[in-house]
Amino acid sequence: MSDPLTVAFDADDTLWHSESVFEETHGRLVALLAPWVDPATLERRLLDTEARNLKTFGYGVKGFTLSMIETAIEISGGRVGSGEIRAILDLGKAMMDHPVELIDGVVDTLDSLAPEAAAGRIRLIVITKGDLFHQESKVARSGLAERFESIEIVAEKDEATYRRILQRGGTAPERFLMIGNSMKSDILPVLDLGGQAVHIPYRITWALEHVSRPEIAPPGFHTLDSIREVPALVSRLLG
């Protein structure tokens, strides 16, 4: 019997909705800071601040909240008041407490894969990046934790991170399949490592995650329209 195929799922915008929550919060920030800045300028300045702060705050809602506050101070020339700062903090807290809304088809997909996992033909894991506290909270509230053999919460999803996870699990790259919505984080690093990757686009892509798709599909690259198509792909890969 060959080694099991490790099937890894991204979490945000693959298992549950995430970027739509950031989009909604951004809209509220636009309204809050309208006295000082137009929407297009705010979007540009906020993105610049987020990019600058990634190395300090990392990914996730907490870093986003601090970047919103910093941007508000900068674009207002320091005139933004404590009321607006409090409102921004409340936006961040609301994002942290936002209900975890599963993407359509996730439960059915995992139900379909469960027999293969029980038979030892596949291993189901999650690999997600972001704030440890918030990601652990979302995993717990999703009700999905028991369906996975392991859950990896990492600071960055690059080739080195995937290599460490595979080595720790004794998984050869050719027996690894990553499923996610981000070409930058979920797809390209895995392909570079020699694994297989499934791109399931989400309707929104964060600008700092945006990279172009390969013009010519490299070996191991798959594109699906829905997570519901994953079990059929896994069956084909298992032969």
Side-chain angles (χ1 to χ4, degrees):
M1 181 177 177
S2 62
D3 292 336
L5 177 68
T6 296
V7 180
F9 288 85
D10 168 51
D12 292 337
D13 299 321
T14 299
L15 296 178
W16 52 70
H17 297 280
S18 176
E19 195 61 30
S20 56
V21 180
F22 283 85
E23 181 184 55
E24 179 182 342
T25 301
H26 184 273
R28 293 177 178 175
L29 184 68
V30 167
L32 182 66
L33 299 182
W36 293 286
V37 66
D38 62 273
T41 301
L42 174 58
E43 181 174 2
R44 185 178 67 254
R45 294 286 295 274
L46 177 58
L47 188 64
D48 289 344
T49 305
E50 289 182 90
R52 187 172 64 245
N53 286 340
L54 275 180
K55 291 183 179 180
T56 303
F57 301 140
Y59 297 92
V61 170
K62 293 176 185 176
F64 180 62
T65 302
L66 291 171
S67 291
M68 285 194 293
I69 292 173
E70 182 177 342
T71 303
I73 294 171
E74 290 179 349
I75 58 95
S76 70
R79 290 172 293 165
V80 66
S82 59
E84 286 83 7
I85 298 298
R86 167 56 65 184
I88 294 173
L89 288 171
D90 288 341
L91 289 177
K93 290 178 180 179
M95 293 179 74
M96 293 289 290
D97 294 333
H98 195 281
V100 177
E101 300 174 350
L102 298 182
I103 288 176
D104 180 62
V106 164
V107 172
D108 291 342
T109 295
L110 295 176
D111 284 345
S112 296
L113 294 173
E116 298 286 8
R121 285 163 55 82
I122 65 173
R123 296 175 61 239
L124 295 175
I125 70 173
V126 171
I127 304 177
T128 184
K129 70 180 180 183
D131 175 76
L132 178 63
F133 176 84
H134 194 207
Q135 292 299 84
E136 284 183 338
S137 172
K138 287 194 285 187
V139 168
R141 287 182 287 138
S142 73
L144 301 177
E146 294 183 356
R147 296 173 179 267
F148 296 98
E149 183 174 319
S150 68
I151 296 171
E152 303 277 353
I153 300 173
V154 298
E156 186 60 89
K157 291 165 82 172
D158 53 19
E159 187 175 344
T161 299
Y162 286 111
R163 182 180 293 109
R164 287 195 299 270
I165 292 172
L166 267 59
Q167 290 176 344
R168 189 165 61 244
T171 302
E174 59 268 21
R175 299 299 294 168
F176 180 67
L177 178 70
M178 182 68 196
I179 301 164
N181 67 291
S182 171
M183 289 294 301
K184 179 181 178 182
S185 296
D186 303 317
I187 309 302
L188 298 182
V190 173
L191 296 176
D192 290 341
L193 193 61
Q196 299 192 67
V198 179
H199 185 223
I200 305 177
Y202 190 71
R203 69 174 184 85
I204 313 167
T205 300
W206 184 34
L208 296 182
E209 286 287 322
H210 181 76
V211 295
S212 300
R213 288 179 51 182
E215 293 184 6
I216 300 176
F221 177 56
H222 311 272
T223 299
L224 301 178
D225 293 325
S226 167
I227 199 169
R228 292 183 181 276
E229 301 173 53
V230 167
L233 174 62
V234 170
S235 294
R236 292 197 300 273
L237 296 177
L238 291 174

